[in-house]
Amino acid sequence: ANHKNGKFWDKAEAKKAYDCKEPKIGKVVNVTKKKRTIKKPLPFNTTSFLAAATSSGFSAGKAMRVAESLYQSGFISYPRTDNMTYPASLDLKSIVRMLEKVPDLSEHAKQVLALDKITPSAGKLSKDHPPIHPVSSVLKEKLSIEQWKIYELVCRRFLATLHVDAVTDNLSVEIDLNKQPFVATGQVFIKKGWKEVYPYSKATEVFLPPIEKNDEVNLKELKFLSKQTTPKPRYSQGSLIKIMSELNLGTKSTRADIIQKLFARNYIQGSKAIEPNKIAFAVIESLEKHSPIVAKPDMTAHIEEEMDSIEAGKKKKDNVVQES
């Protein structure tokens, strides 16, 4: 159990809570039970696909190249898309039946087909290619290790979007230990739903013993921890692509390549946590001193919007080029 007041900034207050350990008997003053629904994920567009693939150990560029090889072989749909809603014309059940032929995915496909009704999740709709999904079945031994990992990721995400939401029982137990409030929390799955087919999303369970209000519990150990605040985590390739999308930097087709160029030109380094090198600091400091606008995402985002306006026929190319 944790102290109810969470993080102490005052050492004296923390010490006061720590000194409550005698006698070693706590009283349960309240038990709260709640059901929680964990929504199934949205279909893959390029940004969310790359975020998932980089979390699985791929670089963004590698994930994109492998996905393109699977597309060219006819195993998955076109991997460059902003769309997160399956079109009505896509025969979802037929694709699930096709995945029954893949031994590693067969049982999960049967789970989805056994549902009373298949209702896919839906996100951002754009006039674009459909979300990334499997197109034909293939056996594991017919693909390279990297191809199989990406194919399996796409298939499992597809099945997860058609499954049902997961449901958990959440328990919050308030304990009075010598007039100091502590809280223990538990979580167990009532229905795993989409979590059954998509292991890339953690399904954590914390089991508490049967416990009721006014029960007495024994204190086994009380820890007094001293920690320092930590900086924000560095960007991974997946989180960097996500923020690039939010800032409208690059396009779904170029973001992974942009990151690869930064690595190739030695501006950044690191496999999971990306760190800028000295040359990156030098370039940014110089730009901020001599031409601040170039160092901000606003300029690139504005140019992207202007090019969209040209495509839509709202602006003339020459005017946009001149302004740029």
Side-chain angles (χ1 to χ4, degrees):
N2 295 311
H3 196 274
K4 195 176 181 182
N5 291 345
K7 294 175 183 173
F8 287 103
W9 299 109
D10 188 320
K11 192 172 181 178
E13 280 292 308
K15 187 75 169 61
K16 184 178 169 184
Y18 180 66
D19 287 340
C20 73
K21 54 192 175 186
E22 292 293 343
K24 296 187 175 186
I25 301 293
K27 185 178 181 181
V28 177
V29 294
N30 197 25
V31 177
T32 308
K33 295 177 183 177
K34 285 183 181 175
K35 278 188 173 58
R36 176 176 166 236
T37 299
I38 306 172
K39 295 283 186 187
K40 58 189 172 185
L42 297 172
F44 269 155
N45 64 4
T46 304
T47 301
S48 59
F49 160 69
L50 289 175
T54 53
S55 293
S56 298
F58 284 85
S59 70
K62 183 74 171 177
M64 208 66 226
R65 287 194 295 275
V66 174
E68 283 172 348
S69 74
L70 290 169
Y71 163 68
Q72 287 162 3
S73 299
F75 298 132
I76 68 170
S77 63
Y78 190 57
R80 299 184 187 274
T81 178
D82 286 327
N83 202 350
M84 298 180 87
T85 297
Y86 298 122
S89 58
L90 194 63
D91 189 344
L92 302 174
K93 255 190 176 177
S94 175
I95 298 172
V96 179
R97 288 194 194 99
M98 173 197 79
L99 294 179
E100 273 192 290
K101 301 171 189 172
V102 183
D104 299 73
L105 302 168
S106 181
E107 286 306 311
H108 299 310
K110 285 173 183 172
Q111 280 182 29
V112 173
L113 290 171
L115 297 174
D116 294 334
K117 186 181 179 185
I118 295 177
T119 307
S121 57
K124 182 174 75 171
L125 175 65
S126 65
K127 293 177 181 177
D128 204 345
H129 297 276
I132 306 168
H133 63 276
V135 169
S136 64
S137 60
V138 61
L139 298 177
K140 187 176 182 176
E141 54 269 25
K142 297 289 184 183
L143 300 176
S144 69
I145 293 171
E146 289 174 335
Q147 284 179 320
W148 172 257
K149 283 182 178 177
I150 293 296
Y151 179 75
E152 184 182 25
L153 174 65
V154 169
C155 291
R156 286 182 177 276
R157 180 63 165 235
F158 173 74
L159 291 171
T161 64
L162 307 183
H163 217 300
V164 293
D165 296 337
V167 181
T168 60
D169 245 343
N170 289 56
L171 196 66
S172 177
V173 180
E174 293 181 39
I175 301 165
D176 183 298
L177 179 65
N178 302 313
K179 297 187 178 177
Q180 284 291 335
F182 288 82
V183 177
T185 55
Q187 173 174 281
V188 293
F189 279 92
I190 304 168
K191 182 166 63 176
K192 279 200 171 178
W194 65 274
K195 293 268 187 180
E196 290 268 14
V197 307
Y198 197 72
Y200 312 95
S201 172
K202 289 180 182 176
T204 52
E205 291 186 289
V206 179
F207 294 93
L208 292 181
I211 201 161
E212 299 293 339
K213 187 176 179 180
N214 296 323
D215 282 354
E216 288 188 340
V217 291
N218 296 321
L219 172 66
K220 287 188 174 181
E221 183 183 30
L222 196 59
K223 290 182 180 177
F224 185 80
L225 303 174
S226 179
K227 294 182 179 179
Q228 292 183 329
T229 54
T230 55
K232 286 184 177 180
R234 293 188 183 277
Y235 284 121
S236 64
Q237 291 194 41
S239 61
L240 189 56
I241 281 175
K242 186 172 182 290
I243 199 76
M244 288 171 74
S245 175
E246 289 169 2
L247 293 172
N248 200 17
L249 292 175
T251 68
K252 59 182 179 286
S253 301
T254 62
R255 288 179 191 123
D257 291 336
I258 289 168
I259 292 174
Q260 288 308 113
K261 283 177 184 174
L262 292 175
F263 277 112
R265 293 170 186 174
N266 204 31
Y267 285 117
I268 58 176
Q269 64 180 13
S271 54
K272 290 187 178 179
I274 299 174
E275 294 182 49
N277 291 325
K278 284 184 179 179
I279 189 173
F281 283 106
V283 168
I284 292 299
E285 284 167 9
S286 179
L287 287 173
E288 286 178 338
K289 182 178 178 182
H290 298 288
S291 183
I293 190 172
V294 179
K296 293 178 181 176
D298 313 51
M299 185 192 78
T300 308
H302 175 66
I303 292 171
E304 293 286 357
E305 286 168 6
E306 294 284 87
M307 288 195 287
D308 288 342
S309 297
I310 295 170
E311 188 180 19
K314 294 177 183 175
K315 291 205 170 182
K316 297 287 185 184
K317 172 187 163 186
D318 291 346
N319 295 339
V320 172
V321 171
Q322 182 63 35
E323 182 199 338
S324 177

